[in-house]
Structures are given as structure tokens and as C-alpha cells.
Amino acid sequence: MALLLACLLVTAPLEFRGAGVYRRPARLARAVLPVVAVFTAWDLAAIARQHWDYNPEFVTGVRLPGALPLEELVFFVVIPICAVLTYEAVTALHGERPAVDRSVEVERT
């Protein structure tokens, strides 16, 4: 949990360099919630089928419904938020969103 908190703290200053990710919660939710939903479902299915579990030495012991460790859900929220903050900050530094140049063909060898 400390590592996830550190990730948020390190990327928090990017809020002021970027487009204000935290100031637009609906947009942030549209970016993060699909990731949370897909990976939570994936983990719950894997736990239910006994494909994997979590070493009790490395989790707090707080389990959510389906035996999902709290840290796993927090991970699925924090990491996408950090990614969005980073993306928005880099985009702001470049002044505009990068356009895809479809006129350039890549030569394949």
C-alpha cells in the first residue's frame, strides 16, 4: 500500500502541469473505471478457479467479496490514475495532442 501511495504522491505534481485530471472527475472515471472493472473481474475469476492467490505475507489481510485483496483493487485504481496524470502532463508540455500521421508508410523488412 505504501508503494501505491508513493506513486500517487510522485505523480500528484503532474496535476498542475497537465490538463487538471483531478478537476475533471467524470473524464477520469471514464478512463479508469473500465480498467478497474475488467481486471477486477479477471482476478475474481482466477481466484474462484484457484488459478492464483496472494501470499498473505505481502497483503494486509483485508479481503473484499470474492477473496480479492484490498491492495489489488487499490492497484487497479492507482496505476491508471498515475498513467493518465503522466500522459496529460507530457501532452501539456508538448502543447498539443500528438496527431497520427497516416500519410507516412512504414517500410517493413
Side-chain angles (χ1 to χ4, degrees), residues 14 17-18 87-96:
L14 298 176
R17 299 289 291 164
Y87 175 81
E88 289 294 340
V90 169
T91 300
L93 288 173
H94 286 285
E96 62 184 54

Side-chain angles (χ1 to χ4, degrees), residues 58-81:
F58 300 111
V59 294
T60 61
V62 176
R63 296 278 179 146
L64 303 173
L68 184 72
L70 175 63
E71 293 87 350
E72 193 71 355
L73 181 62
V74 172
F75 176 84
F76 294 149
V77 173
V78 169
I79 298 305
I81 288 173

Side-chain angles (χ1 to χ4, degrees), residues 9-72:
L9 290 174
V10 167
T11 58
L14 298 176
E15 171 73 3
F16 304 106
R17 299 289 291 164
V21 171
Y22 291 130
R23 292 177 293 226
R24 297 188 297 182
R27 186 174 182 190
L28 179 60
R30 285 193 310 271
V32 172
L33 291 179
V35 174
V36 172
V38 167
F39 285 103
T40 299
W42 177 301
D43 268 16
L44 290 172
I47 291 168
R49 297 178 84 176
Q50 299 180 345
H51 287 297
W52 73 65
D53 197 6
Y54 299 87
N55 187 332
E57 186 178 334
F58 300 111
V59 294
T60 61
V62 176
R63 296 278 179 146
L64 303 173
L68 184 72
L70 175 63
E71 293 87 350
E72 193 71 355

